Amino acid sequence: MIILSVKTCSGLDDLNLLSSVCCYWSARVFIANMPGLLLGDVFPNFEAETTNGKIKFHDFLGDSWGILFSHPRDYTPVCTTELGRAAKLSHEFSRRNVKMIALSIDSLEDHRGWTKDILAYNNEESGCAFPFPIIADNQRELAVALGMLDPDEKDKDGMPLTARCVFVIGQDKKLKLSLLYPATTGRNFDEILRVVDSLQLTAKNRVATPADWQPGERVMVPPNIPEEEAAAMFPAGVYTKELPSERKYLRYTPQP
């Protein structure tokens, strides 16, 4: 049994504040008792209001890959630089058949005003359309459900902010990758793009990508593929790195 004790305070009759308090404690319980989404889990088919209208997540994705990334708050410096970089790279994600969607715990009105600042940060014309939708989660309901809240980072009212989460979802609607950054550290969207390249490549081919791999570079042959099978599977050749252990597990082949 979990017993929660909350001190009363003036203004608690404000329903929005009360809802936020409930979401705060729900988040504490969720974080303490749930493992969260695991790789390979079907991603929740949630409904949400966004700057592009109401969506049902699986319908929004369609046959595409997806990336959902959360932000602590609108009109904040690190988030502005992140969304600015994501917007600049949006054509690269689109070229890879990846639909992008962001989440922040503010209202649609705030989101729409904030995107004008983001476009200005990118030196884009004010009339340009923002390239992807932003979810309005001002009651923190989705942030709680997806385990996004950071109980150590709070706003001026003492309510928890969303951490910098990244979820990459495959065409099968399953979670392929998750990243979690604190509010104080901005994400590298070029690295996220590189990871998408690796995920899509390895989804179609029985290969793995080594540290710092870039598209076009050689890839690795997994250890569970026997030598004879590997030779037939990779006609471009398999190179084995000689090691002191004499174990032949470092095997490379040109990218399929």
Side-chain angles (χ1 to χ4, degrees):
M1 177 183 292
I2 299 174
I3 301 175
L4 304 179
S5 175
V6 182
K7 293 181 179 179
T8 58
C9 61
S10 60
L12 197 61
D13 56 340
D14 185 321
L15 292 180
N16 287 331
L17 179 57
L18 178 59
S19 176
S20 295
V21 169
C22 292
C23 282
Y24 170 75
W25 285 111
S26 296
R28 302 293 297 210
V29 173
F30 181 92
I31 292 168
N33 294 280
M34 297 293 289
L37 288 168
L38 301 177
L39 296 183
D41 285 352
V42 174
F43 205 84
N45 189 22
F46 61 83
E47 294 185 0
E49 295 289 345
T50 81
T51 49
N52 289 2
K54 190 171 184 177
I55 65 159
K56 196 166 186 178
F57 191 56
H58 288 189
D59 293 339
F60 166 77
L61 292 179
D63 295 327
S64 301
W65 287 65
I67 175 172
L68 166 62
F69 48 101
S70 62
H71 297 269
R73 200 103 225 196
D74 292 7
Y75 298 107
T76 53
V78 176
C79 296
T80 299
T81 63
E82 286 189 316
L83 274 178
R85 184 57 182 159
K88 278 188 174 293
L89 288 175
S90 61
H91 65 285
E92 289 292 339
F93 284 98
S94 179
R95 191 165 65 85
R96 291 161 172 80
N97 192 31
V98 179
K99 288 189 175 179
M100 307 172 73
I101 187 166
L103 177 148
S104 185
I105 54 172
D106 288 291
S107 67
L108 289 176
E109 182 180 0
D110 284 335
H111 289 352
R112 292 187 176 114
W114 183 35
T115 57
K116 295 178 183 177
D117 286 359
I118 297 166
L119 291 172
Y121 167 77
N122 279 353
N123 296 316
E124 301 281 354
E125 295 183 7
S126 60
C128 293
F130 201 70
F132 51 83
I134 306 175
I135 295 170
D137 191 30
N138 49 320
Q139 298 301 320
R140 294 171 168 82
E141 293 173 354
L142 188 54
V144 169
L146 297 179
M148 289 177 164
L149 291 185
D150 183 349
D152 293 326
E153 294 288 342
K154 300 180 179 65
D155 63 16
K156 60 183 177 60
D157 297 317
M159 295 296 103
L161 300 174
T162 42
R164 301 185 190 281
C165 298
V166 179
F167 297 121
V168 177
I169 301 99
Q171 291 175 302
D172 56 3
K173 308 299 185 292
K174 293 182 179 180
L175 181 64
K176 304 300 181 183
L177 174 139
S178 63
L179 296 170
L180 183 62
Y181 285 60
T184 51
T185 302
R187 287 158 287 193
N188 185 329
F189 280 83
D190 294 273
E191 166 62 8
I192 295 170
L193 192 64
R194 188 193 73 89
V195 168
V196 168
D197 284 331
S198 174
L199 290 170
Q200 293 185 340
L201 174 68
T202 57
K204 296 179 180 178
N205 302 276
R206 290 181 65 188
V207 296
T209 57
D212 301 325
W213 172 85
Q214 294 293 333
E217 296 179 350
R218 64 183 183 176
V219 296
M220 308 194 82
V221 179
N224 62 351
I225 301 178
E227 286 191 35
E228 290 185 3
E229 184 180 351
M233 186 178 296
F234 305 109
V238 176
Y239 164 74
T240 302
K241 174 73 174 177
E242 297 295 332
L243 300 169
S245 67
E246 298 184 354
R247 299 189 181 193
K248 299 181 179 181
Y249 61 89
L250 277 181
R251 297 182 296 172
Y252 297 89
T253 190
Q255 178 180 320

Short mmCIF file of all heavy atoms in Angstrom, two decimals, residues 7 17 19 119 140 165 204 227:
data_model
loop_
_atom_site.label_atom_id
_atom_site.label_comp_id
_atom_site.label_asym_id
_atom_site.label_seq_id
_atom_site.Cartn_x
_atom_site.Cartn_y
_atom_site.Cartn_z
N LYS A 7 0.44 18.43 1.88
CA LYS A 7 0.02 19.57 2.69
C LYS A 7 -0.94 20.44 1.90
O LYS A 7 -0.79 20.63 0.71
CB LYS A 7 1.24 20.39 3.10
CG LYS A 7 2.18 19.66 4.05
CD LYS A 7 3.33 20.56 4.43
CE LYS A 7 4.28 19.87 5.41
NZ LYS A 7 5.41 20.73 5.76
N LEU A 17 -4.12 23.32 -10.92
CA LEU A 17 -3.03 23.03 -10.00
C LEU A 17 -3.26 21.69 -9.33
O LEU A 17 -2.34 20.88 -9.17
CB LEU A 17 -2.91 24.14 -8.95
CG LEU A 17 -1.81 23.94 -7.88
CD1 LEU A 17 -0.45 23.79 -8.56
CD2 LEU A 17 -1.80 25.11 -6.92
N SER A 19 -4.92 19.17 -10.51
CA SER A 19 -4.65 18.12 -11.50
C SER A 19 -3.16 17.89 -11.64
O SER A 19 -2.70 16.75 -11.74
CB SER A 19 -5.25 18.52 -12.86
OG SER A 19 -4.94 17.57 -13.85
N LEU A 119 11.43 29.47 -35.28
CA LEU A 119 11.72 29.82 -36.67
C LEU A 119 12.64 31.02 -36.75
O LEU A 119 13.55 31.07 -37.59
CB LEU A 119 10.42 30.09 -37.43
CG LEU A 119 9.52 28.86 -37.67
CD1 LEU A 119 8.17 29.30 -38.25
CD2 LEU A 119 10.19 27.86 -38.61
N ARG A 140 -0.12 17.02 -18.16
CA ARG A 140 0.93 16.03 -17.92
C ARG A 140 0.43 14.58 -18.00
O ARG A 140 1.11 13.67 -17.53
CB ARG A 140 1.62 16.27 -16.57
CG ARG A 140 2.42 17.57 -16.48
CD ARG A 140 2.87 17.83 -15.05
NE ARG A 140 3.86 18.88 -14.93
CZ ARG A 140 3.58 20.18 -14.90
NH1 ARG A 140 2.31 20.58 -15.03
NH2 ARG A 140 4.55 21.07 -14.77
N CYS A 165 13.06 13.10 -23.37
CA CYS A 165 12.92 11.73 -23.85
C CYS A 165 12.95 11.69 -25.38
O CYS A 165 12.52 12.62 -26.03
CB CYS A 165 11.60 11.12 -23.37
SG CYS A 165 11.43 11.01 -21.60
N LYS A 204 16.64 -4.49 -41.93
CA LYS A 204 16.53 -5.17 -43.22
C LYS A 204 17.67 -6.16 -43.48
O LYS A 204 17.57 -7.00 -44.38
CB LYS A 204 16.50 -4.13 -44.35
CG LYS A 204 15.29 -3.22 -44.32
CD LYS A 204 15.35 -2.19 -45.45
CE LYS A 204 14.14 -1.27 -45.44
NZ LYS A 204 14.23 -0.24 -46.51
N GLU A 227 30.51 -19.07 -40.17
CA GLU A 227 31.40 -18.56 -41.21
C GLU A 227 30.90 -18.88 -42.61
O GLU A 227 30.90 -18.03 -43.50
CB GLU A 227 32.81 -19.10 -41.01
CG GLU A 227 33.55 -18.44 -39.85
CD GLU A 227 35.03 -18.80 -39.84
OE1 GLU A 227 35.61 -18.95 -40.93
OE2 GLU A 227 35.60 -18.94 -38.75
#
